[in-house]
Amino acid sequence: MAKQVHIRVDDTTYEELNEYSTLSGQSMQDYLSVAIRQLLVKKREDVPRKETDYTFIDLFAGIGGMRIAYERAGGHCVYSNEWNRYSQKTYFANFGEYPDDDITKVNAADIPNHDILVAGFPCQPFSIAGVSKKQSLGRATGFEDKTQGTLFFDVCRILKEKRPKAFMLENVKNLCSHDKGRTFKVIQESLEELNYKIFFRILDGKSYVPQHRERIVIVGFDQERYGKNVTFEFNLPLSEKTPVIRDILESDVSDKYTLSDKLWVYLQNYAAKHKAAGNGFGYGIAPLDGVSRTISARYYKDGSEILIAQNGKNPRKLTPRECARLQGFPDSFKIPVSDTQAYKQFGNSVVVPLMSEVAKLVIYNLRKMDKEIALRKRMTI
């Protein structure tokens, strides 16, 4: 719910605001809200950062899971972009800034210089008809031809314009097999064409949170800067304690999260029907001393993929805070939106501690390679 703040302005300021509002078609309230947000962002930018920090940009930022990961690894965010207004609200509540809202309309040259591009870009179909035709005619194709019309194209054009030292991309596991592997082939070729050495691995978050969640992570380093012999290994440390569902549960949960009799009967009948047909579709009761299924953006509908058993009552859905914990967000993370929006946001987010470990490896690699370059320069002087 929006809060109201009353302010007093002199007559001259009021007339200027009224004139601007008329010309721009924007209400005074909206204009002042934007101005206050910009002031808060400027205030945040004035905070000095350590010289040792690596800068990064946060594209398709969602609610900032990747941002938390890179800040934990010693990074400093200089730009963010996310089009969903509810996610923007959550992002602002936690980081004090509103992301830009449409990456396709952003001039890449206007994005601040940065060391690392970070993006959890959506997976979209790539049209290869035009590319195949050009290749059959012996004509060269570039990532503009291969990826135009997809949001991955915006990642490529920013990489081309700003040439960061490295990037880290995250997507669903099925990206590798999407369109019989052609989608991932286009992604690989496009990134390599931009002269980045890429490494990728499908990683499961269950070592860090009590959830089976596989995602592909693609890491790339600038070969124009570091040469062709760049190496990188996904050597991730395991958690000291294996996380289980019991660890994330709240002690006092409202009855509103308990499934209604109608919904519970429907889910049981649905599962029985599919079991009889020989497939495994149906609800999932999460084992308290094990890991859950993968939470998705559809969790808000019925919570069927991850239900918690209750004594003498129907099962219940996870609360938004429990969903946040399931993805590894700290309890200090603010949830300023409705339950429905929160479920969508956490279902679309990343396993924060897993991404934090990858971020540490990326920055470690950069520090090592930058030190080697600096040492070679000193030796040639």
Side-chain angles (χ1 to χ4, degrees), residues 7 11 29 33 115 213 243 250 282 306 313 342-343:
I7 63 172
D11 290 344
Q29 179 180 341
S33 293
D115 298 311
R213 190 181 187 87
E250 294 189 271
I306 306 172
K313 297 165 66 175
Y343 286 136

Side-chain angles (χ1 to χ4, degrees), residues 167-360:
F167 63 77
M168 175 174 159
L169 310 179
E170 179 268 351
N171 210 295
V172 296
K173 171 188 175 182
N174 290 341
L175 179 68
C176 287
S177 57
H178 186 270
D179 194 20
K180 299 181 179 179
R182 287 189 285 261
T183 294
F184 193 65
K185 182 180 179 182
V186 168
I187 288 172
Q188 283 183 282
E189 290 176 350
S190 299
L191 295 172
E192 289 169 351
E193 177 189 322
L194 291 168
N195 207 9
Y196 280 88
K197 181 73 172 288
I198 70 168
F199 307 86
F200 60 91
R201 179 78 59 85
I202 293 173
L203 303 173
D204 194 334
K206 67 180 181 181
S207 295
Y208 301 89
V209 295
Q211 177 192 181
H212 175 58
R213 190 181 187 87
E214 291 182 303
R215 290 294 185 269
I216 186 169
V217 175
I218 308 170
V219 170
F221 297 93
D222 180 13
Q223 294 186 121
E224 291 182 8
R225 181 187 300 266
Y226 300 116
K228 303 291 185 182
N229 297 321
V230 177
T231 60
F232 181 80
E233 295 288 341
F234 288 91
N235 292 325
L236 302 176
L238 298 178
S239 299
E240 295 180 1
K241 176 181 177 293
T242 301
V244 295
I245 287 293
R246 193 185 303 276
D247 299 332
I248 69 159
L249 300 183
E250 294 189 271
S251 57
D252 186 17
V253 176
S254 169
D255 286 339
K256 72 177 183 177
Y257 297 106
T258 297
L259 300 187
S260 67
D261 290 340
K262 182 179 179 180
L263 177 55
W264 180 222
V265 168
Y266 168 79
L267 290 178
Q268 291 178 91
N269 290 339
Y270 182 84
K273 180 178 71 174
H274 282 282
K275 184 177 181 180
N279 58 49
F281 292 111
Y283 64 86
I285 301 293
L288 296 185
D289 293 310
V291 301
S292 74
R293 297 178 180 179
T294 302
I295 192 170
S296 69
R298 71 166 300 282
Y299 190 77
Y300 75 96
K301 292 183 177 181
D302 52 30
S304 61
E305 62 260 45
I306 306 172
L307 294 173
I308 303 301
Q310 301 185 102
N311 291 327
K313 297 165 66 175
N314 295 341
R316 69 171 178 87
K317 296 192 294 185
L318 295 172
T319 68
R321 177 57 63 192
E322 290 169 339
C323 290
R325 292 173 178 174
L326 191 66
Q327 293 282 46
F329 282 81
D331 279 356
S332 58
F333 191 85
K334 301 179 183 67
I335 307 175
V337 294
S338 68
D339 284 2
T340 295
Q341 293 300 326
Y343 286 136
K344 290 180 180 179
Q345 290 175 2
F346 290 116
N348 277 326
S349 194
V350 297
V351 174
V352 174
L354 170 61
M355 297 303 155
S356 298
E357 293 301 333
V358 181
K360 290 176 186 176

Side-chain angles (χ1 to χ4, degrees), residues 41 45 49 55-59 76-81 97 100 103 106-118 158-159 161-165:
V41 171
E45 289 173 346
R49 67 180 182 88
T55 57
F56 68 94
I57 62 172
D58 192 13
L59 305 181
H76 178 80
C77 186
V78 294
Y79 175 81
S80 58
N81 190 288
E97 64 184 64
D100 274 356
I103 193 64
V106 175
N107 184 347
D110 294 336
I111 293 176
N113 293 331
H114 52 279
D115 298 311
I116 310 165
L117 180 149
V118 179
I158 294 169
L159 286 172
E161 173 69 30
K162 307 305 294 190
R163 288 222 65 84
K165 296 179 178 180

